Amino acid sequence: MSNDDDLILKVRHLSKTFDEHVALRDVSFDLKRADTLGVVGESGSGKTTLARCILRAIDPDRGGTVDFNSDQDGWVSLSSLRHKELVPLRKEMQMVFQDPYSSLNPRMTVRQIIEEPLVIHDEGNSAERLERVREMLDLVQLSQDSLTRYPHAFSGGQRQRIGIARALILNPNLVVCDETVSALDVSVQAQIINLLEDLQKTLHLTYIFVAHDLAVVRHICNNVLVMHNGVVVERGDVDYVFDHPQRNYTRLLLSAIPSPDPDVRMAPEDRTILEEPEPVANGYGLVEGPVWDDDYGLMFSDVIFGGVYSVNDSKEVEPVFEHRRGIGGMALHAEGGLVVSGKNVSLKRFGETKSILLLDRDPDNGNVGYNDLTTDTAGRIYVGSLGSSPVFDDGLEPRAGNLYVIDLDGRSRVVAEDVQLTNGLGFSPNGRVLYHSDSRRSQIYRYEVARNGDLKPREVFHEFENGAPDGLAVAEDGSIWVANAGAGGVAVIHPDGNQRAFISIPVPMCTSVCFGGAGLRTLYIVSGSNGVDGDRRGGVYRYEAPVSGLPVPVAKVEPIANLSS
Amino acid sequence: MMSDNILEIRNLGVRFRTDTGITNALNDVNFDVPRGKVTAIVGESGSGKSVTANCIMRLLQPPGEIVTGSIQFNPSRTESFDVVAIGERDPRIYDLHGGLISMVFQEPMTALSPVYRVGNQVAEAILCHRDVSKDAAMVEAHDMLRRVGIPDIDTRIQMYPFEFSGGMRQRVVIAMALVCNPEVLICDEPTTALDVTIQAEILTLIKDLQEELSNSIIFITHDIGIVAQIADYVVVMYQGRVLEIGTVRQVLKDPLHPYTKGLLAAIPGNVPKNVRLSTIATAVGDADITTPFPLKEVGEGRLVSLP
Ligand SMILES: Nc1ncnc2c1ncn2[C@@H]1O[C@H](COP(=O)(O)OP(=O)(O)OP(=O)(O)O)[C@@H](O)[C@H]1O
Ligand SMILES: Nc1ncnc2c1ncn2[C@@H]1O[C@H](COP(=O)(O)OP(=O)(O)OP(=O)(O)O)[C@@H](O)[C@H]1O
Ligand SMILES: [Mg+2]
Ligand SMILES: [Mg+2]
């Protein structure tokens, strides 16, 4: 394979198990000659284990391969050679360690330390070796009178230079730096980083650079592997990965770096929110109105192609109702059935075809219908109307909608006005605050709720920079889980208004969420296809949340009229 | 009237007399610690940060000795006094260690005993300093552990430190440091031994607790990122001297001393990729950073050691 010539390393399916513990799981990557590959991840994520398996300082599990493009023999399989056969190749691969204090033998002089690899590989006579050591001292900018001194006489940065000189004296091609600059303060760190970069240019070195300081990695690496629990969770061009992290874990790491700019506030994400959502149903147009029922499982509607479906734990989907298109919101009703919103708000009892009208189209408002709804603990329904909706592209002047409450006696009233594009609704745990998404304005409103169900004037609770807020659900701890339409996931907002985490799904159009499953610990996330005809990228995902959702809202509103279906 | 500064350090000089000679670890150190704020002391290894903290706590051990200066301490609970001037047996030393000032170190196990349960250790810290019943102390310990974010406290309170992760241990140490509601909390590199993600949690915790309890904090670190995130005021030290003092924005956004400029230029995140990092030496260039010019005031609370 001729295009392999510019590669120096090919790693395939590398794993390492210590006793029962899997420290490294199925890692594969290519490394180009003269590149610098960063390996990042928190403590225990497997960075050192990966480095040691590559260099065969430890033996990886069977099945994984490491191929190395050596000067001496061309491509060789490091993972299958016997230890004796590896010895000559070791000259081409070296490691520089983290701790400048414990990695140097305190009883050896600097000359002995730097010279030792030559002695081990039986290279040159004493005079030639001394000459090489002197060259190395110049290279790492240590004075020649260091030769006869012992490590304790050097500062941390100087000791790290001694370690580098020792690693480079055999003219390696591949150098693994395991946290080489982590223990040093910025001034010394800068000297060592510059030195490594200079040496790379003059000696055409390839580096694998293990570090937990992402700013350092970004500075000196071209590519990066992000490791978590022994798995490479993300990799690629370092700038791209850091600017567009796809995985929650990468985001978590990036959010944890304290910025040296006091105006850029550190907002570490919640580390419990790490697992990826799992797809449970797909092939729908625009999925909306998710609602959990202990018997039916998760119910959801397809706004574009119509119908209400349920999906159970085994991912089996059943139709619940044949229904027209355009159901935007659903909630359980105490009498057994679903309150659905669309052109109007109505109650559909399970097993019946008739609908019972709860709230008709509001003629004064010229609205095209209603969207998300929720209930308070008393059982009143809160539902927003779509003015003239930009979503349906109906050619009308965009016109604001209202927020209505349907009281227990079936009478309704407007409780808030001027909602540009009404979406998710949810109450705080004590029921005294109502959160409400306005997708057009990219804002979530916060209303204080009066005893009779009226709302005090709203305030803006959170504003989105990317995408818009869509459906939302509130957890027991008061956190607000909001589908972030356009941004491809769910934002977790704390009651203080700050975003604490983000859960990605594989499609950009995330439309709504609800809690369900045992203990309401599963977050169901639904998605849509941007309304493009025939596009069926809408689906349902589930995700094990670190908190339980609030109890599923149940409407107790008295129906006032009958509608034929 | 109570001074706005909880600590006022003047002309502090410390030297170490060893076999190999005399090290002047601190030379004419002057700075104030404003009440209810976070003051960061930043500087490279060996610049005198920890020695300064030890002087404030009266924990400096021989061969180190304070040769000049004063540390005026203005607690709200008791009379002001000069920490340097009081004698070894003065009861105020006991007050100092007994809750007026607490310290959190880099390595949490230096403050924890491996053989006692976590809950008992926190309760013990309360009993040492205050006259409350054992049960009351245990209730308070529980409450403080909850505040520092220990999950599942009823189980955890019965566990030993080795059963905790590094981040959890540091939370326990912070809980112990806070149970006596100290007027000053000194944190000497409390996150250096921790992972970035855990570090972020601990920094957030310290900041949140400070806002809640409004105690005065001295935060020692060589990480400018941490300074930027946690400090209100910054003291830059170099070779046992104070080079620059100001608010965090003044010092990090508009550094006046060439050494501070060098320190900021050496941070990888502050430099475009493929551009060589400046080391402090290159950034400082010909500027004179070794002559000990006295601090001069160049603005309100803004001091710099320049001719
Ligand atoms: N020799 C060993 N025996 C048993 N377990 C090991 C051994 N070496 C590593 N492990 C385990 O493997 C996992 C990965 O460890 P590794 O040292 O690779 O992590 P790391 O990412 O380098 O962490 P750090 O940033 O702390 O250096 C850890 O859970 C560790 O405890
Ligand atoms: N026990 C000691 N004996 C001799 N010299 C000491 C002793 N302790 C500290 N020093 C000297 O005092 C000076 C200041 O040390 P200090 O520990 O305050 O540095 P620091 O700024 O805290 O550094 P670091 O960031 O490495 O903790 C150093 O020059 C150090 O060598
Ligand atoms: Mg490691
Ligand atoms: Mg120190």
Side-chain angles (χ1 to χ4, degrees):
Chain A
M1 282 185 277
S2 58
N3 62 345
D4 279 359
D5 286 352
D6 52 353
L7 294 183
I8 190 165
L9 200 63
K10 283 190 283 185
V11 174
R12 294 290 177 274
H13 308 298
L14 206 60
S15 298
K16 177 68 190 177
T17 311
F18 294 107
D19 305 320
E20 301 278 88
H21 178 74
V22 183
L24 201 63
R25 195 189 300 261
D26 198 23
V27 174
S28 303
F29 65 91
D30 289 340
L31 181 56
K32 268 211 210 131
R33 202 177 281 280
D35 261 11
T36 303
L37 174 71
V39 181
V40 303
E42 68 194 330
S43 188
S45 57
K47 307 180 295 292
T48 300
T49 305
L50 173 63
R52 299 179 72 207
C53 283
I54 291 170
L55 298 186
R56 279 286 297 281
I58 49 175
D59 288 330
D61 294 349
R62 295 179 66 124
T65 59
V66 178
D67 292 310
F68 176 64
N69 193 356
S70 71
D71 279 354
Q72 306 163 47
D73 306 316
W75 282 101
V76 290
S77 168
L78 292 182
S79 45
S80 55
L81 290 180
R82 277 179 291 169
H83 278 269
K84 236 201 284 169
E85 299 167 318
L86 280 170
V87 174
L89 287 166
R90 292 223 178 278
K91 287 193 274 186
E92 296 188 37
M93 315 173 288
Q94 288 291 319
M95 190 139 168
V96 185
F97 295 94
Q98 168 167 11
D99 186 350
Y101 297 91
S102 65
S103 59
L104 304 179
N105 185 336
R107 276 181 280 279
M108 285 164 79
T109 63
V110 168
R111 174 184 170 173
Q112 288 169 323
I113 290 169
I114 299 177
E115 183 182 36
E116 192 179 40
L118 293 177
V119 177
I120 292 170
H121 287 274
D122 198 17
E123 295 220 341
N125 60 34
S126 175
E128 286 161 352
R129 291 201 293 259
L130 180 58
E131 189 49 37
R132 274 295 283 156
V133 172
R134 288 187 179 281
E135 283 172 35
M136 294 317 296
L137 286 178
D138 285 344
L139 198 63
V140 300
Q141 293 157 33
L142 284 173
S143 70
Q144 292 294 334
D145 58 22
S146 311
L147 277 177
T148 53
R149 291 157 72 186
Y150 290 86
H152 69 80
F154 294 87
S155 72
Q158 290 170 327
R159 287 184 216 205
Q160 208 55 285
R161 287 162 190 265
I162 298 170
I164 292 170
R166 175 188 157 95
L168 296 184
I169 196 159
L170 289 164
N171 266 329
N173 294 318
L174 176 66
V175 179
V176 177
C177 301
D178 190 358
E179 306 271 13
T180 300
V181 299
S182 309
L184 308 172
D185 62 44
V186 276
S187 167
V188 185
Q189 175 177 291
Q191 291 171 27
I192 300 292
I193 290 172
N194 288 341
L195 174 66
L196 290 171
E197 288 188 321
D198 293 345
L199 294 173
Q200 179 165 48
K201 284 195 200 101
T202 46
L203 305 175
H204 303 287
L205 299 175
T206 309
Y207 290 127
I208 294 178
F209 195 88
V210 176
H212 64 254
D213 185 332
L214 305 200
V216 171
V217 167
R218 186 163 193 163
H219 187 81
I220 79 163
C221 299
N222 328 76
N223 291 295
V224 66
L225 303 179
V226 182
M227 299 202 58
H228 176 52
N229 286 341
V231 177
V232 173
V233 293
E234 189 158 352
R235 67 146 169 266
D237 174 82
V238 70
D239 288 322
Y240 188 82
V241 168
F242 286 7
D243 286 337
H244 311 276
Q246 299 297 307
R247 301 294 296 261
N248 298 321
Y249 183 69
T250 312
R251 275 195 193 99
L252 170 73
L253 277 183
L254 288 166
S255 74
I257 309 174
S259 163
D261 181 345
D263 292 328
V264 178
R265 277 278 150 253
M266 178 174 68
E269 302 207 340
D270 188 342
R271 39 179 303 111
T272 53
I273 303 176
L274 287 177
E275 305 311 324
E276 297 292 306
E278 172 198 18
V280 292
N282 50 46
Y284 299 89
L286 176 65
V287 180
E288 269 289 5
V291 54
W292 174 261
D293 177 84
D294 285 337
D295 296 330
Y296 281 84
L298 183 83
M299 291 182 275
F300 60 90
S301 72
D302 186 337
V303 177
I304 292 177
F305 296 103
V308 174
Y309 304 88
S310 68
V311 56
N312 65 14
D313 280 352
S314 322
K315 307 188 192 179
E316 291 155 348
V317 179
E318 302 264 3
V320 179
F321 298 122
E322 301 274 321
H323 200 286
R324 58 171 193 267
R325 313 169 359 156
I327 292 184
M330 306 201 293
L332 298 177
H333 195 283
E335 289 180 15
L338 286 175
V339 177
V340 300
S341 67
K343 268 191 247 157
N344 51 42
V345 181
S346 55
L347 167 62
K348 285 182 74 81
R349 291 208 169 90
F350 293 127
E352 291 181 15
T353 47
K354 260 191 335 187
S355 293
I356 302 162
L357 181 67
L358 298 177
L359 176 62
D360 205 354
R361 243 174 114 140
D362 183 348
D364 294 341
N365 206 21
N367 64 9
V368 291
Y370 297 92
N371 207 5
D372 292 40
L373 52 84
T374 192
T375 70
D376 64 10
T377 44
R380 297 183 187 103
I381 298 170
Y382 287 77
V383 61
S385 66
L386 296 160
S388 37
S389 165
V391 173
F392 300 112
D393 208 9
D394 48 20
L396 299 171
E397 265 302 285
R399 188 160 159 190
N402 296 326
L403 186 60
Y404 295 79
V405 63
I406 310 177
D407 228 319
L408 300 183
D409 60 8
R411 276 192 280 208
S412 56
R413 62 184 186 274
V414 172
V415 283
E417 294 178 335
D418 186 28
V419 184
Q420 282 286 350
L421 176 47
T422 182
N423 248 306
L425 285 160
F427 282 92
S428 64
N430 65 10
R432 285 195 218 123
V433 169
L434 178 65
Y435 299 102
H436 181 196
S437 297
D438 186 327
S439 303
R440 171 73 79 72
R441 291 200 177 105
S442 286
Q443 288 173 338
I444 297 179
Y445 305 137
R446 181 182 185 281
Y447 309 87
E448 307 258 339
V449 187
R451 260 180 198 289
N452 66 354
D454 282 346
L455 303 180
K456 309 238 169 86
R458 70 188 175 215
E459 52 195 70
V460 175
F461 169 68
H462 185 86
E463 182 141 12
F464 284 81
E465 282 170 20
N466 296 313
D470 207 323
L472 64 79
V474 182
E476 266 183 349
D477 66 354
S479 54
I480 299 102
W481 299 60
V482 191
N484 196 174
V490 178
V492 185
I493 320 271
H494 268 236
D496 64 8
N498 289 318
Q499 180 170 328
R500 288 291 162 81
F502 190 87
I503 302 150
S504 309
I505 58 169
V507 293
M509 196 61 190
C510 184
T511 52
S512 194
V513 295
C514 86
F515 286 94
L520 298 175
R521 273 277 186 167
T522 305
L523 182 76
Y524 284 93
I525 306 170
V526 299
S527 71
S529 55
N530 295 325
V532 181
D533 263 345
D535 177 355
R536 284 178 172 267
R537 279 200 298 159
V540 180
Y541 299 80
R542 73 179 164 206
Y543 171 82
E544 287 320 305
V547 286
S548 294
L550 290 177
V552 179
V554 179
K556 294 177 187 144
V557 167
E558 200 75 46
I560 49 169
N562 283 357
L563 268 193
S564 52
S565 66
Chain B
M1 206 191 80
M2 200 166 58
S3 164
D4 290 343
N5 299 318
I6 186 99
L7 287 163
E8 289 166 339
I9 298 166
R10 293 290 174 272
N11 313 108
L12 191 64
V14 169
R15 71 176 172 214
F16 287 89
R17 218 192 278 269
T18 61
D19 306 343
T20 48
I22 291 175
T23 313
N24 289 310
L26 297 184
N27 303 293
D28 194 26
V29 165
N30 288 282
F31 68 93
D32 295 335
V33 179
R35 191 183 300 278
K37 302 283 182 196
V38 181
T39 303
I41 306 182
V42 59
E44 61 192 59
S45 191
S47 55
K49 307 182 295 292
S50 297
V51 167
T52 304
N54 289 337
C55 291
I56 295 169
M57 280 292 268
R58 274 294 287 258
L59 285 175
L60 190 67
Q61 302 288 330
E65 54 177 325
I66 297 178
V67 286
T68 59
S70 63
I71 300 176
Q72 186 68 23
F73 181 33
N74 306 314
S76 54
R77 277 179 251 159
T78 63
E79 295 269 299
S80 296
F81 60 95
D82 177 359
V83 174
V84 175
I86 58 176
E88 287 292 326
R89 300 219 154 68
D90 194 302
R92 285 172 291 185
I93 297 252
Y94 182 82
D95 294 342
L96 204 63
H97 295 170
L100 286 178
I101 307 185
S102 291
M103 204 154 170
V104 176
F105 298 93
Q106 175 171 339
E107 179 36 68
M109 283 314 283
T110 54
L112 293 172
S113 161
V115 297
Y116 291 103
R117 295 178 200 277
V118 165
N120 289 342
Q121 295 196 48
V122 181
E124 195 58 35
I126 299 168
L127 290 169
C128 264
H129 306 308
R130 291 213 319 267
D131 193 18
V132 293
S133 76
K134 234 181 142 180
D135 286 349
M138 210 58 195
V139 169
E140 247 185 82
H142 191 286
D143 182 54
M144 192 46 87
L145 287 168
R146 181 185 54 73
R147 277 161 89 167
V148 299
I150 300 285
D152 201 8
I153 302 179
D154 291 322
T155 327
R156 297 232 163 221
I157 210 163
Q158 298 295 334
M159 288 163 62
Y160 294 92
F162 71 85
E163 297 175 272
F164 280 43
S165 69
M168 285 293 160
R169 283 181 205 155
Q170 198 61 294
R171 283 171 193 264
V172 174
V173 174
I174 291 169
M176 283 168 68
L178 291 177
V179 281
C180 298
N181 193 16
E183 300 209 16
V184 183
L185 177 67
I186 303 179
C187 301
D188 191 352
E189 312 236 13
T191 61
T192 308
L194 305 174
D195 225 298
V196 271
T197 54
I198 313 293
Q199 164 173 294
E201 286 176 14
I202 297 288
L203 293 177
T204 310
L205 170 69
I206 292 175
K207 188 92 188 156
D208 287 352
L209 288 171
Q210 196 270 339
E211 273 162 22
E212 187 186 328
L213 308 170
S214 60
N215 28 26
S216 315
I217 294 185
I218 298 177
F219 200 103
I220 295 174
T221 179
H222 62 246
D223 185 330
I224 306 289
I226 295 178
V227 174
Q229 296 302 315
I230 204 152
D232 299 303
Y233 297 93
V234 182
V235 175
V236 182
M237 290 190 72
Y238 174 67
Q239 292 189 348
R241 294 188 292 126
V242 173
L243 297 189
E244 180 157 5
I245 298 175
T247 66
V248 68
R249 273 192 187 70
Q250 286 170 338
V251 174
L252 298 191
K253 298 218 151 184
D254 181 25
L256 297 176
H257 198 282
Y259 176 83
T260 316
K261 292 178 186 168
L263 201 61
L264 297 177
I267 305 170
N270 276 358
V271 177
K273 216 177 151 87
N274 304 323
V275 169
R276 264 176 90 77
L277 296 173
S278 28
T279 59
I280 291 184
T282 54
V284 166
D286 294 335
D288 178 6
I289 61 169
T290 46
T291 308
F293 300 111
L295 286 173
K296 61 173 183 182
E297 189 150 5
V298 292
E300 166 124 14
R302 186 89 172 96
L303 295 111
V304 59
S305 157
L306 283 176

